[in-house]
């Protein structure tokens, strides 16, 4: 039959093997955990960069919109003054026509 000494050695061997496996698993878990945390940090940095880029683009778009509005205002003012000139010319022409018809 089996020797108690052999059983004790077998139990120790199994305990040692289980201990080594647990240490390996813990080491791998720590490695994977560090890798995941590193990737999360990198993603956080990328998100921050994207957020800043989006903010910069929004500011740029607002500036362009203001520039376009400022460029359109002088055109509107020029059109208004041209319209006023045309209206004045039309009135003068009508007055001249009325004077001619009266004579």
């Amino acid at each position: 039959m089996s020797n108690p000494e052999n059983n004790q050695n077998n139990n120790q061997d199994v305990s040692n093997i289980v201990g080594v496996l647990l240490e390996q698993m813990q080491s791998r878990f720590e490695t994977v955990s560090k890798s995941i945390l590193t990737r999360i940090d990198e993603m956080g940095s990328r998100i921050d960069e994207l957020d800043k880029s989006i903010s910069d683009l929004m500011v740029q778009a607002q500036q362009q919109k203001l520039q376009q509005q400022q460029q359109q205002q002088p055109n509107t003012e020029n059109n208004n003054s041209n319209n006023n000139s045309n209206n004045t010319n039309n009135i003068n022409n009508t007055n001249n026509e009325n004077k001619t018809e009266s004579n």
Side-chain angles (χ1 to χ4, degrees):
M1 294 214 152
S2 61
N3 185 349
E5 214 174 277
N6 280 343
N7 282 340
Q8 191 175 12
N9 284 341
N10 284 340
N11 286 341
Q12 264 184 334
D13 288 342
V14 170
S15 292
N16 288 339
I17 291 171
V18 169
V20 168
L21 287 174
L22 286 174
E23 286 175 8
Q24 287 176 349
M25 287 176 61
Q26 184 174 357
S27 174
R28 288 181 186 164
F29 179 78
E30 288 173 1
T31 302
V32 169
S33 294
K34 287 178 186 177
S35 174
I36 290 171
L37 290 175
T38 300
R39 288 182 183 177
I40 289 173
D41 288 341
E42 288 173 359
M43 286 174 54
S45 296
R46 289 179 182 172
I47 289 171
D48 290 342
E49 289 173 11
L50 283 172
D51 188 35
K52 186 181 180 317
S53 294
I54 289 170
S55 295
D56 291 345
L57 286 172
M58 291 182 73
V59 166
Q60 185 179 5
Q62 288 174 344
Q63 289 173 346
Q64 287 177 349
K65 185 176 180 180
L66 286 174
Q67 286 175 350
Q68 287 174 348
Q69 289 174 347
Q70 289 171 351
Q71 288 173 355
Q72 289 174 354
Q73 284 176 350
N75 290 338
T76 304
E77 290 172 6
N78 286 340
N79 288 339
N80 287 340
S81 88
N82 286 340
N83 287 339
N84 289 339
S85 296
N86 288 339
N87 289 340
T88 304
N89 288 338
N90 288 339
I91 291 170
N92 289 337
N93 288 339
T94 304
N95 287 338
N96 287 339
E97 287 173 6
N98 288 338
K99 286 180 186 177
T100 306
E101 287 175 7
S102 310
N103 293 335

